[in-house]
């Protein structure tokens, strides 16, 4: 292992003055854009496409019709939206 | 007291390889049993046995190295090769999911509307949360390097800060991905798109959780002064694994999120 004189200082500065501020700025930008979009977003009308909502075998939980991260608002069941 | 007259480590008898193998067998066959008989007992039992085995096996390795000093230079070199080979095998694992993605997306079939994304699929905007996640993982690569240099220069607190920052960024990524998974308008059952998306990003997420756990373990070991400025292979292995996780995400982002939209 080579000894890096001052190597730590470089990476600390890259992290504290580069990487982390960029993460903070990107977070703010993304949060702003997402909240703006969410206010107007309408979910698409339900069309019973055969290639979507495949249920060849039921899910091994609950009534077997909902995926693991099921979202009642955005995920329609094979028969249509629940709500 | 001399235990051997060579530099290699011939380990003591241990039950963990056996319990680990049995646990892995119970876990995998348990998943199959769960899917066919809707009973989770075998799976949960396998999972518990495997977790307990991992904790005790790795605890034993820390004892053999840090406390008993049995990890000589050649032993550490062997472990370096081992970690490199393991990560290589993981690269091949992900390669298969990228193959599946390109198989479905390069020549979309009639059934999905001769298009990619398939008809009816609302994809994620790649320049929103997915881009933020990319920045987060890249930043975590910088913070783990900060920690590594801190360790090599014997700066205890700097190493702690760098490791802590890396763990926080890893947890932040996981939280954002979980939110994306819940908000998604498509599920794993929505054509080849959903299947390839959730299997590839899902296994990636699992590796992020594993990598974060590995880093947390290093954090705790560092707080207990297990590492020296010249000998800290456990930390290096965690850092290599973390960079691998980052690179896999970059490929996921460029192919599935960006090209695939």
């Amino acid at each position: 292992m080579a000894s890096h004189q001052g190597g730590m200082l470089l990476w600390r500065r890259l992290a504290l003055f580069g990487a982390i501020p960029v993460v903070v700025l990107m977070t703010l930008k993304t949060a702003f854009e997402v909240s703006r979009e969410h206010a107007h977003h309408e979910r698409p009308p339900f069309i019973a496409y055969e290639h979507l909502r495949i249920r060849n075998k039921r899910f091994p939980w609950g009534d077997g019709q909902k995926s693991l991260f099921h979202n009642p608002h955005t995920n329609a069941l094979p028969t249509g939206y629940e709500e | 007291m001399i235990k051997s007259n060579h530099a290699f480590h011939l380990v003591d008898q241990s039950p963990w390889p056996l319990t680990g193998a049995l646990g892995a067998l119970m876990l995998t066959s348990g998943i199959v049993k769960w899917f066919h008989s809707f009973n989770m007992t075998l799976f949960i039992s396998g999972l518990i046995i495997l977790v307990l085995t991992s904790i005790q096996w790795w605890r034993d390795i820390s004892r053999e190295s840090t406390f008993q000093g049995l990890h000589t230079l050649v032993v550490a070199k062997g472990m370096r090769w081992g970690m490199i080979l393991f990560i290589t095998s993981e690269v091949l694992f992900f390669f298969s999911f990228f193959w599946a993605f390109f198989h479905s997306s390069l020549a979309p079939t009639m059934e999905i509307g001769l298009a990619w994304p398939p008809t009816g699929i609302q994809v994620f905007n790649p320049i929103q949360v997915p881009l933020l996640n990319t920045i987060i993982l890249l930043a975590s690569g910088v913070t783990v390097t900060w920690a590594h240099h801190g360790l090599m220069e014997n700066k205890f607190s700097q190493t702690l800060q760098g490791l802590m920052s890396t763990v926080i960024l890893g947890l932040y990524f996981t939280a954002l991905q979980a939110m994306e998974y819940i908000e998604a308008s498509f599920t794993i059952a929505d054509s080849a798109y959903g299947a390839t998306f959730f299997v590839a990003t899902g296994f990636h997420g699992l590796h992020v959780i594993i990598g974060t756990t590995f880093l947390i373990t290093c954090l705790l070991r560092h707080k207990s002064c297990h590492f020296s400025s010249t000998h800290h292979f456990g930390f290096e292995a965690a850092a290599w694994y973390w960079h691998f996780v980052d690179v896999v995400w970059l490929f996921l982002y460029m192919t599935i999120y960006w090209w695939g939209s």
Side-chain angles (χ1 to χ4, degrees), chain A residues 3-21:
Chain A
S3 72
H4 296 260
Q5 291 309 316
M8 190 272 289
L9 280 175
L10 168 67
W11 287 100
R12 186 170 97 127
R13 285 170 188 151
L14 283 173
L16 291 178
F17 300 117
I20 303 219

Side-chain angles (χ1 to χ4, degrees), chain B residues 11-24 50 53 57 60:
Chain B
V11 296
D12 292 331
Q13 297 237 4
S14 164
W16 311 132
L18 180 63
T19 62
L22 289 172
L50 209 48
T53 299
W57 195 340
D60 281 355

Side-chain angles (χ1 to χ4, degrees), chain B residues 123-173:
Chain B
V123 303
F124 288 114
N125 185 343
I127 59 168
Q128 283 181 0
V129 175
L131 179 59
L132 175 56
N133 271 341
T134 306
I135 303 290
I136 289 168
L137 284 184
L138 288 173
S140 70
V142 175
T143 54
V144 79
T145 309
W146 167 27
H148 191 195
H149 281 264
L151 193 50
M152 290 190 287
E153 290 180 27
N154 245 329
K155 302 280 196 311
F156 186 91
S157 172
Q158 292 296 309
T159 307
L160 202 64
Q161 290 176 46
L163 261 176
M164 190 74 84
S165 308
T166 312
V167 168
I168 289 172
L169 287 167
L171 293 170
Y172 186 21
F173 176 95

Side-chain angles (χ1 to χ4, degrees), chain A residues 36-48:
Chain A
R36 213 178 31 175
E37 200 184 271
H38 264 247
H40 312 292
H41 191 249
E42 305 239 335
R43 71 181 180 197
F46 176 75
I47 304 172

Side-chain angles (χ1 to χ4, degrees), chain B residues 43-63:
Chain B
F43 166 64
I44 300 287
S45 310
L47 189 62
I48 292 173
I49 289 174
L50 209 48
V51 169
L52 288 175
T53 299
S54 306
I55 292 170
Q56 293 174 100
W57 195 340
W58 275 312
R59 179 206 61 187
D60 281 355
I61 296 174
S62 289
R63 288 172 171 176

